[in-house]
Amino acid sequence: MADSGVSRAESSTDSLSVYIYDCRPDSKASCEKVVEISGKSYDKFLQAVRQEFSISQNEVFVLTTTDRRQIVRDVYGELTNGRTLHLLQSVDQELATATQERINYLPHYHTIVQSGQYEYYASEGQKALPYAFAELIDNALSATSRNRGVRSIDIRLLFDESQGGPAVVVIDNGRGMTSKELNNWAVYRLSKFTRDDNTFQSDHSGYVRPSPIPRSLNSDISYFGVGGKQAVFYIGQSVRIMSKPVGSPDAHEFVMSKEDFEQKEKNKEEIYSGIIRNRKPGDCSHVRGDEERFLHSLILEEQSKESFTAIVITRIQPEHVTYLKQDFTLWTRELAHIYHYYVHGIHGNEMRNSRSAESTSNIDIQISLIDRSPRLPRLLNLREIDNDMQTLYINSSVAEFEFKASKGGDARVEGLIRYHPFLYDRETYPEDPYALTPGIYDDDECFVLHTEGRGKRAIFECFWNGRLIPYSSVDEFEWCARPKKVCTVPLECYNRISGVLFTNDYFQVSTNKLTFMDLELQLRDKETIFTRVLNGQEQRVKINREFTAWLKECHERYDKQVKFIGFQGTTTRTDVSTKRLQSPWARFKAIHWDGKVYKTGQQVKSVKTQPILFGTIVQFLLYGDHEGDEYATGGHVQIALEPKELYNEDRTIPISKIDRLATAAAIRKSIDDELAKLPDQLRLTWPEGNSWPDKAVRPAGTPLGPIQVEILNKKGETMSRLPVANVNAKKLLIELKVIWHCKFSYLFFFYHYPTLGKYTLQLQTILSDGESASEWAGKRLPQYTLHFTIKESSAAAFVLGVVPSSLRVGVPFSLNLEFRDEFGHPTQPPSDIKMHTVKVMIPGLRQDCQSFQVSVRPGPPHQLVVLPDDEVSIENGSPAPFKVEIQDEFQNITAHPKLIVRCQLLGAPDLPVDAVDCSNTGTGLLLAKPIQLKTGISCVERTLRVLPSTRVFRVEVYRQDEDSDDVMVIQNMERIDWTAGDTLGSLRFKLYDEGGRLVPLAQKLAHNIKVIICMTLHLDFSSYYGVKNIGEHFYQVAFRDQHTVDTSTGTVLVGGVRFASGFPGPRELCFKYQEFEEFSRVKVTAGPPAKINLLDAPEMPLHVLNGRGLDTPFLLQLCDEWGNPVPDQRVVIAIKTLSPHPVRNANPASLSMLLWQGSASGARPPPGATTLKCSKPKEKEKDSNFYFRDKEIPEQVGKYIVQFVFVVEKSKCLWSSQIALNVVPNKPVKLVPESPPSTPVVSNSGSLASRILLDKLCLKIVVSCCFFVLFFVHIDITTTTALLKPAIRAMLIFPGFDGAEYMLQFRPVIKGLGPSPTIAPYNLPFRFYNDAENRKIMATMSKKKDQLSQTIEIYRGILETNKQLTTELKIHDAASKETQLKSELIKNGIDISKLTNVSVIEDLISKMEADLERIKNEPRRKCTMPDPFKGSPDVLGKIAHLAQVEDDDAAKVISWHLLGDMDCVVTATTAAAKKIYDDTQGRQQVINLLMCYFRPLPHIRNGGSLFRPLGNPVFVRDLLIFPEHAESCNMVFSSLVGDTILVDDLDSANHYRRGVQCPTLLTRQGERIRSNGKFGGLQNKAPPIEKLRGQVFGAPLPKEYHAILLDPAKQLQKWELVVICLLAYALNQPFISSAITIFWCFDCCPSVTVL
């Protein structure tokens, strides 16, 4: 297939001719000649060639085709009309010049026949047949748009085989089509916008856009000229169109079929041709086949119709017939959805209210399916369908929000949002009929029966000119999107809205009307203005605020999502301020809300209240008269605040403020936390250390106190007032009482107690309200009781007892001494008395007194004393320290030989017995062993109670993140799977004693806590089926003291066994330990799906023709990692096509450029277009681009069209769009003839021919690019004296000399504004002779001279062309640069119309430079730290000067974070760093680039984010701007800041840390969280920026500065150079007049001018 343009007009079919080029080397011109071959034999053909080209009989020649096939006798018969042949000397002769061959190329008929398959192939999982029917309905709606009455569209599905093959008929009562319009319909892609050209001019006027109407229901939807053809050939393989226009007596019929196309291709006939049958209505005489019997009745119906159009589609695809029968309800419902508003009017199918006459539609779309007998026909009108999506949307909604969107020009969008309320126990948002439903064997737990309203579906369906565009939808707009923060409207209400968008045809759709091109992008543009429509009037309000208010009103009025249960009567609420709303209020026991039941007595928590309330439900209240269970949007709940000890009141709140996410445990915990604030106990401390334990025994006179008493709550906090917020905080006081227990109790308040007896000290907490109340909210306030006993104190005096009055000499007597304490109470003698002095006095004797010393020793054992004397409580496993004393009668400790005290435990057999020897000391210590006295002393029994030990008994390990209440307890021997390399953080432990009590962690206990790695287990199963070594780490947290006993077991847990490769089947595992072996048999199946294998892969590369399928389907196998087949049915395999990319191996010879003069001619160029070939790319040009350079500009001024064509194969070409080209005249240069005339010769002869100098001369004024034909000159010499007679009838007579040469000069006269350009005149030499014979000789010689002159001019022209091309290339480069810079300057807002000269441009550049200087000098944040090292070799500078930060908050916190490094000097080499270090004696910080390194991103894994962070996190290094040394600075700061992240606030930073183990976090508010999680304190809070004393990163220059510097200023400088270049080569183009000046120039005569 050649690359030339469309062929010229063909010869008639009766005569055959060929085009022959004379390409022989000695041929002067290779022009083509036409030779007739009709009825000629091969010999006569050769004779005609010899005659046409003047070839002698002896001369040898060869005729070949363009592919060098020689025309011999056998080949001659194959010649076709219009074939191009070459006349050569031999077959292998080279072509001296190029030739042209005429061809015809038309698109293949598959373009029409298979277009529907291409357009409807990708239908998003749905059947595309309804959308093909929609194309035919579109045409019918356009045809009936002018009907005043009913617009009838009848779709008949004729599947009765007895009446012919399956057929689909679409009939409308529209205006019909004329034969010319029917011809236009047959032309593929002839849209309604291109039907007014010469070829396809319609009988009707040009296209006029319809006037705007509501919902754009203008029926202007037959648009592109492709839908009808695509639809009929997608449904079947043949189409018959019958139509009768209004007012015409004739009907027109046209048939197009795939079979007809194939037959024409086989017979080599013209494919795109056919006939239109013009007949009278009802004439069916041409119908012959049995396959179309139904046509008879169909044609007979034409007689009663004024106008109509019927489309009959036959040879229906079998799968379409099955679908149309079985899924009749499904596809008719989809059609009703597409044309909902055409069928039901602008308000849609509103079934709840009666329709008005204005909203009723006159469109009637009837569908009938006629099957074979005895099956009854199925008749359906689209108006009767009530379950299409729009009908469901309309009738399930309760309110509408109407709006409009406008975006410049006439582009308009009408929008409607509907609200679907929650009623009772379900959402009323209609379900999508195309949504997937669960199968028979699906898991019920994985299927959601009641979705949350709209779910993930888009809000808006999109209608174009009133009809649905099914595959385009708009998710949401910013003003109606679900808010990210909590607002006044519940978030679930945003899932209860649906919407519709109605657009006009200013928004483009695809040719199959399945998708919009860019509707959503245009509506999201900032220039789009949204206005609300209320009562038909547009309101310029804030659309987001209006929508939120409307949505809130809908929720409060229409949602019925709370069920009130258990009616208890009505009541009146006095707490409501509005009297009319105080009554009636219905009381209920419970409600059912959001899948939960809330009952009376249940504890709840509130949300969005100040403060947050906890309480118990008292009752539910609903306003209005109700008598039973009721549904409502909401109501109120009355709760008794908890804890009652703090809040002794009831509170009523809306039901919506109940926290539905709060758990009972969390509520109970919060209440307990509140209870912990109440007074719980009294804590006594003894400041002087003289504490009195309970049941203490103290000597009389011992002071009690001082005592410090503190009131504590359950949290251990001291308090002095009640923690009640709504009551005047009452003070707490302490009341002290001391009671003496005697026969009559007495109350004392003194400091010490001299009276012996038992006492009780009582401390009671009381309120300071004057009533001495010791209770609050029914609970007694904390108290403290201390029991103590006062005994006699130590001896302070003694009293002599009764002494006998008479004594006998020599008889001993006794003196009774009674010791008393300081209060006169009898007491024991002092224990430290060893020696006593006895003084005996006898009156009357000379020596009447004598004294002696007596040593008093303890008496014999009298009693056994065991201390302590009360009940003893000991711990399990600890000794029971009992102290025993042997006392005499006077309670003195005494000793006795062999005095042994035994201790025996009673109550159980085999109890231990202990004994202690008291023979020497009289005292001893027993360790809980029974006591047995042998000296007759009565035994003493004590009760022993064993309590749980308080030592550490159990260790509990758990994990709890910071700021989280979730606790994960780790059980003993529990296995934890964790990611390799990750950190298992936030592990904590608690210690418990035997009683389950928490043991506080003290310093002494902390030393006994050890975390031990017990073992790292490596199991080697390498000898069995390739089992990999699996390692598991076992960790132990142990508490060790002298009572801990370690136990271990011999159990080994083997886990994580994995088979690395092999085939599925049984396997044996061998476990071996020393000499023991154990085998286990396992069954190995295929692993998880990992790859797809292509079985029986075809030979590569695979060649697939466009539009055709594969000969052999792909056979794919799902396999695991090791190639084993996986029987997994859940995997869906999809074929993805790669995005288009430039073709790099295309042959440039297949690409051509066609050029012709005139206007655009449809999709193809007209006959006679000039073909230009592609140029070779240069070295640095892309091989994927094609270049057309050095092409000659057309000679004629006017409009030209350029179109490019790429030849794919013989029958397929790719055409570009047609590009208009305007060729304008340039500056006139010189005057030249159209064809160089020979040197004229005239003679003095009577013959008129000898006297005519020039018969015709056509002169052109040459411009720099093209020519203009301006005039003709006719000169006639009529006299013997060289009479000159121009065409303008001027007579000139000149004397002539025989043989002399004269010059005829032509000079144009130009009239116009400005100076007249200088145009070189044209000089024509001629000779004059007196006789005719000399004239003839000189004429021959002049002819030869002219030929030589022409040859010389040709070579001179080549040399001049080279010079001219050099000059033009400079102009071309400047012009192309001018175009490029124009667009760039316009983008930057510069008016290029004012840039007319260099001075203006220089002024604008000067102004911009002044602006740059002004911006540069504006005050901004700068670093004032000195940098004396900058400028030194290999020194970049200090850290503070290397980077800049735009945001002030970010600059402050980053500078503070790097405050210790801001003074550090960065060097490029280690030597430079060492030099600065030595020069400053080590005082200056330095860092070199060789030490810097990069760190990977910590929170981005595998190219995806692990979670959705808050607070706009960004790496600190990404905020740094480097004015210079960008690459080096990037290395330095990556080392300094690492992965430090900047977020908005502290809450966002903590949220970020919970999601991932992250490095240091900074906030824009100045906080810092270190990598170990520590934050708070002055060391983690940035000071104000003023306190950094200039050690802060500077601010960069504003973006305005860079915008001027980088774009407009440089572009203006380039523009200045372009303007200078263009002005240098600028050419004036004045108006050229048709007048001409002719100069006669003689050697000896002056010139004479003739005008």
Side-chain angles (χ1 to χ4, degrees), residues 495-688:
N495 279 342
R496 295 171 184 162
I497 58 175
S498 65
V500 190
L501 297 179
F502 299 94
T503 72
N504 55 12
D505 58 358
Y506 283 90
F507 296 90
Q508 297 181 359
V509 296
S510 59
T511 55
N512 55 14
K513 302 189 187 78
L514 294 180
T515 57
F516 273 97
M517 296 297 188
D518 55 354
L519 173 62
E520 188 167 1
L521 291 177
Q522 294 194 42
L523 293 181
R524 292 184 185 276
D525 188 58
K526 295 182 179 179
E527 298 180 359
T528 304
I529 300 175
F530 290 92
T531 57
R532 185 181 182 183
V533 178
L534 194 61
N535 299 326
Q537 300 295 326
E538 293 189 45
Q539 296 181 346
R540 296 295 295 269
V541 294
K542 291 186 177 180
I543 190 73
N544 54 346
R545 185 175 60 188
E546 291 291 319
F547 173 77
T548 304
W550 173 81
L551 190 63
K552 181 179 180 182
E553 181 184 3
C554 291
H555 169 65
E556 295 175 351
R557 290 186 57 186
Y558 303 112
D559 284 341
K560 306 293 183 182
Q561 58 190 44
V562 181
K563 182 179 181 180
F564 289 80
I565 307 172
F567 178 72
Q568 292 182 310
T570 58
T571 184
T572 300
R573 290 180 56 185
T574 58
D575 58 328
V576 178
S577 58
T578 305
K579 290 187 177 180
R580 65 180 181 85
L581 297 179
Q582 291 181 352
S583 178
W585 286 86
R587 299 184 296 113
F588 294 89
K589 289 183 178 180
I591 62 170
H592 188 280
W593 180 34
D594 196 20
K596 298 180 181 179
V597 176
Y598 296 89
K599 301 179 180 179
T600 303
Q602 183 177 345
Q603 292 180 338
V604 293
K605 173 189 175 184
S606 69
V607 291
K608 304 178 187 177
T609 59
Q610 291 294 335
I612 300 298
L613 304 178
F614 297 88
T616 303
I617 298 175
V618 177
Q619 62 183 354
F620 294 95
L621 301 172
L622 179 63
Y623 182 76
D625 290 324
H626 306 286
E627 296 181 355
D629 295 351
E630 187 65 37
Y631 286 92
T633 306
H636 289 75
V637 57
Q638 183 180 358
I639 60 175
L641 299 185
E642 294 285 352
K644 295 181 180 179
E645 291 81 353
L646 287 178
Y647 314 102
N648 191 15
E649 63 172 320
D650 293 346
R651 188 76 64 87
T652 303
I653 61 174
I655 293 177
S656 60
K657 294 190 176 182
I658 296 178
D659 189 354
R660 291 174 286 174
L661 301 178
T663 61
I667 297 174
R668 185 69 258 172
K669 182 178 181 302
S670 300
I671 295 176
D672 291 341
D673 292 342
E674 290 293 319
L675 281 174
K677 298 179 181 178
L678 289 174
D680 179 66
Q681 61 180 345
L682 298 179
R683 181 173 64 185
L684 270 71
T685 56
W686 307 80
E688 297 182 359

Side-chain angles (χ1 to χ4, degrees), residues 166 203 274 300 532 673 765 804 887 919 987 1391 1461 1628:
D203 291 350
L300 291 177
R532 185 181 182 183
D673 292 342
T765 305
Q887 298 180 355
S919 301
L987 289 179
D1391 188 3
D1461 298 324
N1628 295 326

Side-chain angles (χ1 to χ4, degrees), residues 811-827:
V811 177
F813 63 94
S814 299
L815 293 177
N816 294 326
L817 298 179
E818 185 179 359
F819 290 90
R820 296 180 181 273
D821 58 11
E822 60 178 333
F823 300 102
H825 303 141
T827 184

